[in-house]
Amino acid sequence: MTPPLILPFMLRHLLLLLLNFPHRNILTGAAAGKWDLLLPSIGISAMHMQLLHTDRVVIFDRTDFGRSNISLPTGKCRNDPSDTTLIEDCTAHSVEYDVASNSVRPLMLLTDTWCSAGAAMPDGTLIQTGGYNDGDHAVRIYKPCRNNSCDWREINPGLKQRRWYATNQILPDGRQIIIGGRRQFNYEFYPKTSLDDESYNLPFLVQTNDPLIENNLYPFVFLNVDGNLFIFANNRAILFDYINGSVVKNYPVVPGGDPRSYPSSGSAVLLPLKNKNGAEVLVCGGAPKGAYVSANNGNFVAALDTCGRIRVDDPDPEWVVETMPSARVMGDMVLLPNGHVLIINGAGSGTAGWEFGRDPVLSPFVYRPDVLIGSRFEVQSSSSIPRMYHSSSILLRDGRVLVGGSNPHTYYNFTGILFPTELTLESFSPSYLGSNFVNLRPLIISPTSQSRISYGRQLIVRFSILSNRINDTSIIVTMVAPSFTTHSFSMNQRLLVLKNGNVTPNGNSTYQIQVITPDSGNLAPPG
């Protein structure tokens, strides 16, 4: 059977590629996928990443690591009397990575971005919020450009509450909701509609707070298809009506009761949304109860090897538990354009936190949501670089996964330690990019990149392909929203499988397929 093809596409800052995805048996053949070292050093550790609609990636860590390994342009220095390490720093703690040229240029942050959050707005501007110290109330704005003239600008204070380890989610009206953070059991919105915009209490964050450990930081937040928010913290979740400030539904505790959010640091994704079939959430890995305290005392307990999967709209929801090929904490979960989930980075024991991770997991897993339970995981080819605390991964427009970071130390530290600060940048190419599928990788003719589309409309996608093995059942079209990724969670990551009609040949190895665009911002927030 010819495996289906996929047409994902980038519209403003959504992603569209045309790819084939193979089905393999985990018990046969060599491990799938391919690793490539892109740059031996980008000068900073990739703690946070966001893909922009210019096909560039903003990457940053924190300003109080000390001097980085990349200088700011001549004559530029940051002078910050509040900085806890260097008052004057002429090195950069943010870079813009150009995918096409495989190069970076330094950017200038003004205040500390340690453990902050963000999301791309409808026009593609990155809004980045919070952090530590003098940056905990800041809003940073990065408006993408193509002439290398753009840089960070800042509104400080721009937030009502201190946001450190918070989560941002784009809403159907284009605003962001900013939820939680260290000792912040509340949420607020950005942009503000007035200077009097307040923050609003969220008792669920109080209920899920483990004393002294927390385990409810960087909550996993997903926009449900009904416009409400699925919010997971610690070991359970709610469906939240943010407009009226009310809980619509309470979900049961994950079987076993172990925490899954920071610092226990599992990861989570909203599984691909298909033709209004309802939403499912997958939560994988993490560290068991007590692991943080144990690691603090030098005992690194094994991470969790289970995933929990739940239907958001089920009237009587229950978690379905699955077992991964091995345990993982501090992993990233990346939605691939073929609807599979890549689980990558992390450790086999310990937790998030300074020096608290051990046993790096070098082999990613692919999770295939639509095959039978028990057969969904496939082990991939290994990297040689441990990606521990403060690593990150994102999907690129060409279908590769960008992988960077790892710094489990208070400062940059490269020698005489178990896991040196990692400044390298890699890519992982899933098996659909293998040479044996070259003839099955189509070239999109239209719509062109940066095209604008409306909700609920018919859209013609035209493409060329070398293979003549094309039929209506072998094509699916997906749209992927690029994420803001940090600390094992990809905020605003989202994949839609579009309803499609017949494939029509146009001659000269070109074809077209008609699809229906999402019908509302509940399915696809603007942007």
Side-chain angles (χ1 to χ4, degrees), residues 371-434:
V371 303
L372 292 176
I373 191 169
S375 303
R376 289 173 174 163
F377 289 98
E378 180 182 85
V379 178
Q380 305 293 289
S381 298
S382 296
S383 171
S384 61
I385 301 175
R387 301 288 183 183
M388 307 291 279
Y389 189 42
H390 289 152
S391 58
S392 59
S393 300
I394 60 167
L395 180 69
L396 296 177
R397 255 181 9 120
D398 59 17
R400 293 176 300 158
V401 176
L402 190 68
V403 183
S406 187
N407 188 15
H409 320 295
T410 309
Y411 304 104
Y412 293 111
N413 199 336
F414 302 101
T415 58
I417 34 132
L418 192 57
F419 301 111
T421 299
E422 193 58 65
L423 307 183
T424 59
L425 198 65
E426 293 179 285
S427 68
F428 177 75
S429 297
S431 56
Y432 52 63
L433 293 176

